[in-house]
Amino acid sequence: MEKPRIGIIISTTRAMRFADKPAQWIHDLAVARGDMDVELVDLRDYPMPFFDEPASNAYVPSANEVAQRWQEKIAGFDGYLFVTAEYNHSISGVLKNALDYAYPEWARKPGACLGYGSVGAARACEQLRLIMVELQMAPTRNGVHIQGGDFFDALQNGRDITDLPFIGPNAELMLDELHWWAIALSTARAAAPPS
């Protein structure tokens, strides 16, 4: 198989977001490995209205043009890495909306999570894993969590993420898992009879 294509989804659209820093860091780390093709996908580029289609696009094609562009973009990936904050113990509304606007595009593909915030977005990542299961995705066990003093040091003092303890090995483990699942599931999808 060719190198799996991984979409790194920047999952918040706030003007003062922190997401760009960890998204670029994990992108560069994944590129340096050389075993996957990665692309940053920013939800700011897909300003979808709140989901108001007659049904999921698993049953009825979406009418919204931005949603159609979104579906086309994510369909081209073999796996996903969500860079997410935590809003009130969950993912952002814009990420949930983006997840809801697609269904067949996510199915039978892996998803990993890089979370940041006071608890490293641990609760958001757990909820995201539950959503991934419902979308027939395979959530990875390992993730990366930038949390507590490390998060605030990077946010407020500009500390380089690469200087944070343990983050490099955690990221490599997560990327190893994501790579393995992307290849395994891509191979299985290719071998499956047409539906």
Side-chain angles (χ1 to χ4, degrees):
M1 171 191 180
E2 296 179 12
K3 293 192 282 189
R5 294 197 67 238
I6 304 297
I8 299 174
I9 299 175
I10 303 175
S11 304
T12 182
T13 57
R14 292 176 59 225
M16 300 300 291
R17 69 184 183 189
F18 176 74
D20 298 291
K21 187 180 282 191
Q24 190 63 56
W25 168 74
I26 199 68
H27 172 273
D28 295 347
L29 195 63
V31 166
R33 291 167 55 100
D35 61 355
M36 59 182 80
D37 289 328
V38 293
E39 179 181 343
L40 289 170
V41 181
D42 193 338
L43 288 183
R44 285 179 177 168
D45 297 331
Y46 300 90
M48 293 170 277
F50 282 117
F51 183 80
D52 190 24
E53 298 284 341
S56 162
N57 73 325
Y59 306 106
V60 179
S62 297
N64 183 275
E65 180 274 329
V66 181
Q68 292 170 10
R69 277 195 308 110
W70 167 247
Q71 293 158 3
E72 183 178 341
K73 170 56 79 177
I74 63 170
F77 295 110
D78 299 304
Y80 310 93
L81 200 168
F82 297 93
V83 178
T84 186
E86 183 169 312
Y87 293 179
N88 299 314
H89 291 211
S90 188
I91 61 175
S92 68
V94 71
L95 174 57
K96 179 62 167 74
N97 196 50
L99 289 161
D100 289 343
Y101 259 109
Y103 189 90
E105 295 81 6
W106 303 118
R108 300 184 175 109
K109 296 178 184 177
C113 186
L114 188 168
Y116 60 88
S118 60
V119 296
R123 297 166 296 209
C125 291
E126 284 305 304
Q127 290 201 11
L128 181 55
R129 286 182 176 106
L130 292 173
I131 296 165
M132 283 192 258
V133 168
E134 182 59 26
L135 293 171
Q136 296 189 56
M137 296 175 71
T140 62
R141 177 187 180 275
N142 291 291
V144 173
H145 302 277
I146 303 170
Q147 61 187 345
D150 290 334
F151 167 68
F152 289 109
D153 205 15
L155 175 69
Q156 297 170 343
N157 303 324
R159 184 175 182 188
D160 190 338
I161 293 174
T162 58
D163 294 337
L164 300 177
F166 309 112
I167 195 167
N170 287 351
E172 287 294 344
L173 185 59
M174 176 188 66
L175 291 171
D176 285 346
E177 263 189 18
L178 183 59
H179 180 265
W180 188 93
W181 278 105
I183 288 176
L185 292 175
S186 179
T187 302
R189 287 193 313 274
S195 52

